[in-house]
Amino acid sequence: MSEFDIINFENRLMANVFAKRPLVITRGKGALVWDVKGKEYVDCMGSYGVALLGHSHPKVVEAVCKQAETLISCHASLYNDKRTEFLQKLMSITPTGLNKAFLSNSGAESVECAIKLARKFTGKPEIITVMGAFHGKTMGALSATWDRKYREPFQPLVPEFKHVPPDNPEKLNEAVTDKTAAVLLEPIRGEGGVRVPPDGFLAGARELCDEKGVLLILDEVQTSFGRTGKLFGCEHWGVIPDVMCLAKPFAGGLPIGITVAKGNIMVSFKIGEHSSTFSGSPLVCAAACAAIDALVEDKLADRAGTMGGYFKAKLEELQAKYKIVKEVRGLGLMLGMELRYDVRNIIIKAMDRGVLILDAGRNVLRFLPPLVITKEQIDKTISVLDEVIGEEENER
Ligand SMILES: Cc1ncc(COP(=O)(O)O)c(C=O)c1O
């Protein structure tokens, strides 16, 4: 099918909810993808953080092919060897005490489960999140998400969600009441502009929750699996939540959501109170086992730390060179560059020159490349950015 036909059919046949770029990607390997005409791109979008291991990681490909020939689906009301193997591997990497999981299919679903679990465990209704938070777009997750343009068309949302100013211990403290079930935070706000909290904020939130007897839920959908240089973002601040939401890269590119909690909390769900038809399918679990093996054996969290340091230093050189660059921030290979203007032109121009970049709000370029990205691929990204930011600055 021609590029023209693919674009037209997708536009016609699929709900128009994505801000599409005029690009048809048909193949990927490592941190590179190719379009339908064979043109190569450095993929700093990384499928919004899903392609963390690199596209078509050989271990994941092998595991998926083998499992597809053995057993693809098996409802969670029956037991399965791959599911058990995955749960054991998962618990070998999760922070101490987080040892019982509900498996689903997406980040939003992992958040939905956490919200229900907090209400069930505490018997209280209220969830406190922050302004600028992003937790997904299903009705419960959307109620926790901040951005007005996502929320307003769908009101009324789920009641008893409260948003407080971010990174502000006093406001968080004031917001907690005897109706509060949980505080829900992203360790680093991704969609909200790649915002790293000040040291002490997350530990303070942990202390507050302990003091007031409310749960701390961390949404690690974007910050986990080595992305920030540690297996989980919360490790940067030595904080262990009561409930953690995981998704994006955990199954090497296949759909997965995981809500992992302290055992005494997860057992408050009784049979039938939560479920999902695809929960822990053998195919996805086989992919997730291979993904964890690849992450651990290839020491990708360490690699995110070193390559992220290199990438960030190069972005900071651009910040020093161009007035339109306001700030560079992030940890590991979760990086953001805030500009003084809309970044849309820069993203489109970079795409034309072979580099895919994400945004995070109007003014922020976001980089979530596969952790296997090489120095040469980072250098190419930087040289393309140097050109396009230079052109933008000259035009202002
Ligand atoms: C922190 C966070 N939570 C939840 C979600 C929602 O995940 P999904 O799109 O898989 O539902 C996202 C997606 O970007 C996210 O970044």
Side-chain angles (χ1 to χ4, degrees):
M1 212 184 290
S2 72
E3 182 183 34
F4 179 82
D5 282 344
I6 294 169
I7 289 175
N8 272 330
F9 276 119
E10 238 183 77
N11 283 344
R12 190 139 56 84
L13 302 178
M14 193 172 168
N16 294 318
V17 292
F18 295 96
K20 296 276 208 187
R21 303 175 189 195
L23 179 63
V24 178
I25 294 295
T26 53
R27 192 161 63 86
K29 191 80 204 149
L32 297 174
V33 289
W34 288 267
D35 72 12
V36 68
K37 293 179 197 142
K39 182 175 165 189
E40 180 182 288
Y41 299 80
V42 179
D43 185 11
C44 292
M45 282 177 79
S47 299
Y48 275 73
V50 170
L52 177 146
L53 295 177
H55 292 279
S56 297
H57 191 287
K59 282 200 175 81
V60 175
V61 172
E62 193 191 337
V64 167
C65 292
K66 200 161 149 217
Q67 188 61 38
E69 286 180 340
T70 311
L71 182 67
I72 294 178
S73 69
C74 172
H75 190 264
S77 53
L78 298 171
Y79 295 90
N80 174 256
D81 56 342
K82 274 295 154 193
R83 189 184 303 131
T84 303
E85 190 185 329
F86 169 58
L87 288 165
Q88 286 177 333
K89 277 188 199 290
L90 174 68
M91 299 317 168
S92 75
I93 62 167
T94 49
T96 315
L98 298 183
N99 56 14
K100 213 165 166 62
F102 176 77
L103 302 177
S104 56
N105 313 285
S106 68
E109 257 188 280
S110 74
V111 172
E112 293 291 334
C113 174
I115 293 166
K116 283 177 71 175
L117 187 57
R119 286 187 167 184
K120 185 73 206 303
F121 177 72
T122 62
K124 296 175 179 178
E126 188 178 77
I127 309 285
I128 300 173
T129 72
V130 299
M131 295 164 179
F134 185 85
H135 297 289
K137 294 181 186 170
T138 53
M139 288 304 267
L142 182 61
S143 307
T145 288
W146 167 250
D147 199 324
R148 194 186 293 171
K149 72 173 180 289
Y150 300 144
R151 298 163 56 87
E152 266 184 4
F154 306 103
Q155 282 168 346
L157 299 177
V158 179
E160 306 284 2
F161 279 77
K162 224 177 228 99
H163 292 84
V164 298
D167 305 335
N168 186 325
E170 290 79 33
K171 295 283 182 203
L172 189 59
N173 196 357
E174 281 167 22
V176 175
T177 67
D178 55 9
K179 284 195 328 185
T180 308
V183 170
L184 166 58
L185 300 169
E186 295 160 84
I188 299 170
R189 276 173 289 129
E191 300 289 321
V194 190
R195 302 200 182 258
V196 183
D199 281 340
F201 174 71
L202 220 52
R206 175 70 279 179
E207 267 173 41
L208 174 70
C209 289
D210 287 342
E211 213 179 279
K212 305 258 173 134
V214 308
L215 298 184
L216 177 64
I217 305 171
L218 288 185
D219 179 346
E220 292 254 15
V221 165
Q222 204 165 132
T223 47
S224 57
F225 219 61
R227 164 68 60 199
T228 68
K230 304 266 187 200
L231 282 180
F232 300 94
C234 59
E235 290 174 35
H236 287 284
W237 298 281
V239 168
I240 299 181
D242 301 298
V243 183
M244 193 158 72
C245 305
L246 306 169
K248 291 195 192 281
F250 261 83
L254 270 64
I256 191 167
I258 306 165
T259 313
V260 63
K262 293 179 176 164
N264 66 313
I265 297 172
M266 192 58 94
V267 293
S268 63
F269 271 155
K270 298 293 172 255
I271 289 170
E273 286 182 345
H274 199 60
S275 66
S276 172
T277 301
F278 288 114
S279 183
S281 88
L283 187 70
V284 168
C285 288
C289 284
I292 292 181
D293 288 347
L295 175 76
V296 173
E297 285 162 22
D298 300 347
K299 297 189 172 56
L300 291 179
D302 292 345
R303 190 181 165 87
T306 44
M307 296 312 260
Y310 178 75
F311 202 157
K312 194 175 182 193
K314 292 276 171 193
L315 291 172
E316 282 164 351
E317 284 173 22
L318 296 182
Q319 182 192 354
K321 188 167 170 188
Y322 296 111
K323 286 198 282 298
I324 64 168
V325 180
K326 194 170 164 199
E327 194 179 31
V328 172
R329 49 187 184 245
L331 281 176
L333 282 168
M334 178 175 183
L335 295 171
M337 180 187 244
E338 182 168 345
L339 273 77
R340 296 185 196 282
Y341 308 97
D342 197 312
V343 294
R344 205 172 17 204
N345 267 348
I346 289 180
I347 286 176
I348 294 296
K349 281 184 176 174
M351 182 182 89
D352 291 341
R353 293 169 211 199
V355 174
L356 302 183
I357 304 170
L358 273 177
D359 56 351
R362 212 171 67 89
N363 290 0
V364 180
L365 295 169
R366 181 170 35 148
F367 305 87
L368 295 177
L371 308 191
V372 294
I373 192 168
T374 63
K375 265 193 173 162
E376 292 68 33
Q377 289 161 349
I378 293 173
D379 289 342
K380 159 140 192 207
T381 303
I382 294 295
S383 93
V384 164
L385 272 173
D386 195 356
E387 267 174 44
V388 298
I389 294 175
E391 286 170 20
E392 282 292 300
E393 181 147 304
N394 286 338
E395 282 163 22
R396 302 260 161 199

